[in-house]
Amino acid sequence: MKALITGASSGIGRDMARVLSKKGYDLVLVARDHKKLEEVKKELEKDKVKVEIIEMDLSKEKNCIEIHNRVKDIDILINNAGFGDCGIFTKTNLEKEITMIKTNITAYHILTKLYLIDMKEKNSGKILNVASIAGFMPGPLMATYYATKAYIVRLSESIREELKKEKSEVQISILCPGPVKTNFNQVANVKFHMREANSQKVANYAIKKMQKGKFYIVPGMDVKLAKLGAKITPSFLISKITYRIQKRKLIR
């Protein structure tokens, strides 16, 4: 059994690698930080599994294609690489946002498509796309990030229906957490004023639910209620609520 995880050098990606190594999966870990990847590899090899690390910037399309060319016959694909940013849309950095779109959307799209083709041919495999509760609502002051996660939610929902109609054994799932205690805050330039979930607990929950075939994986009752609220509340009202929440996050 083999799993490929992007964004695997820290946070949820690293912690999901820990869970899968305990279950006996060989791992291919992808991230930009070679030193951190080496540290994770050294830790996980204690579980007597094979760990391959690939230092790669997935904001470049050719690198995503290279990953697929290099790594074959995987049983699980976890698309986890990504980051956010916070601020008024006209004042946030355009270059950072374009890189965000390429990392949060384009990389997911390419890897999901290429590995899904392989999995459908053998009629087995699992794909877990790490989205966010942000994918179910508008997100003023984090407009680009919320939009990227909405893309992942809708793409995955659509693929799920196609797989159902084809009676395929391939499974796709989306992980939609709320705030998680990782280095996301520093990159996104935010400070959360609400409870942050433990990354390892989220990872354990995600792998458990994915292996049971759950599509929407939403850790925490408060996040489940937020998802329900986003579904039944008009978008204009959600926008007002979200704006107030995001404004409190901004690091001044």
Side-chain angles (χ1 to χ4, degrees):
M1 300 181 295
K2 183 164 69 174
L4 168 64
I5 306 174
T6 69
S9 62
S10 63
I12 298 174
R14 175 202 59 203
D15 292 340
M16 287 193 285
R18 288 170 170 166
V19 176
L20 289 173
S21 70
K22 296 293 184 186
K23 293 179 178 291
Y25 280 83
D26 293 330
L27 298 165
V28 181
L29 308 179
V30 183
R32 292 182 298 176
D33 192 321
H34 184 79
K35 183 179 179 180
K36 287 184 178 179
L37 282 174
E38 287 283 5
E39 291 171 356
V40 176
K41 177 181 179 180
K42 184 177 180 180
E43 174 192 341
L44 299 185
E45 284 180 333
K46 295 177 182 177
D47 294 326
K48 307 301 181 183
V49 297
K50 295 179 181 177
V51 181
E52 177 183 357
I53 60 173
I54 301 176
E55 180 185 353
M56 194 75 81
D57 180 358
L58 295 181
S59 68
K60 296 177 171 59
E61 296 174 23
K62 65 178 182 179
N63 288 349
C64 299
I65 295 170
E66 182 181 339
I67 290 291
H68 178 255
N69 290 336
R70 287 175 59 175
V71 182
K72 298 294 184 181
D73 298 320
I74 64 171
D75 301 287
I76 297 175
L77 166 66
I78 299 179
N79 282 311
N80 171 69
F83 67 94
D85 196 15
C86 193
I88 296 171
F89 183 70
T90 53
K91 295 182 180 180
T92 46
N93 183 277
L94 178 59
E95 184 177 351
K96 184 176 181 180
E97 288 174 328
I98 295 300
T99 302
M100 189 196 311
I101 290 167
K102 289 180 177 179
T103 305
N104 294 14
I105 293 180
T106 306
Y108 277 56
H109 189 109
I110 293 172
L111 292 173
T112 297
K113 189 178 191 74
L114 295 179
Y115 280 109
L116 183 60
I117 291 170
D118 297 342
M119 290 177 179
K120 285 177 68 175
E121 285 182 358
K122 63 181 183 180
N123 199 31
S124 68
K126 299 179 187 296
I127 296 175
L128 174 61
N129 285 330
V130 178
S132 167
I133 192 63
F136 298 98
M137 59 188 74
L141 298 183
M142 290 188 77
T144 304
Y145 175 75
Y146 273 58
T148 64
K149 292 306 180 181
Y151 182 96
I152 299 309
V153 169
R154 294 308 184 204
L155 178 69
S156 303
E157 288 174 335
S158 300
I159 292 170
R160 176 185 62 158
E161 187 61 24
E162 291 178 3
L163 291 172
K164 280 184 178 180
K165 289 293 187 283
E166 295 168 342
K167 301 187 185 304
S168 174
E169 294 296 320
V170 180
Q171 174 196 315
I172 190 166
S173 303
I174 51 174
L175 173 60
C176 304
V180 180
K181 193 172 184 179
T182 66
N183 65 353
F184 177 92
N185 297 7
Q186 292 93 317
V187 177
N189 195 37
V190 297
K191 181 178 180 180
F192 288 108
H193 294 273
M194 58 189 294
R195 182 186 64 85
E196 294 177 89
N198 176 273
S199 178
Q200 189 63 62
K201 289 183 179 179
V202 171
N204 287 329
Y205 184 83
I207 299 300
K208 178 181 177 182
K209 293 298 182 180
M210 177 192 68
Q211 293 190 316
K212 288 185 176 182
K214 186 77 171 175
F215 177 70
Y216 296 109
I217 302 175
V218 185
M221 184 54 65
D222 53 344
V223 187
K224 288 181 172 67
L225 290 173
K227 180 176 179 289
L228 175 62
K231 183 177 181 180
I232 63 177
T233 307
S235 290
F236 78 91
L237 186 54
I238 290 291
S239 291
K240 292 179 183 295
I241 295 170
T242 308
Y243 181 88
R244 293 181 64 182
I245 293 172
Q246 311 296 24
K247 192 173 182 181
R248 294 180 63 206
K249 294 180 187 177
L250 283 169
I251 296 175
R252 302 181 187 284

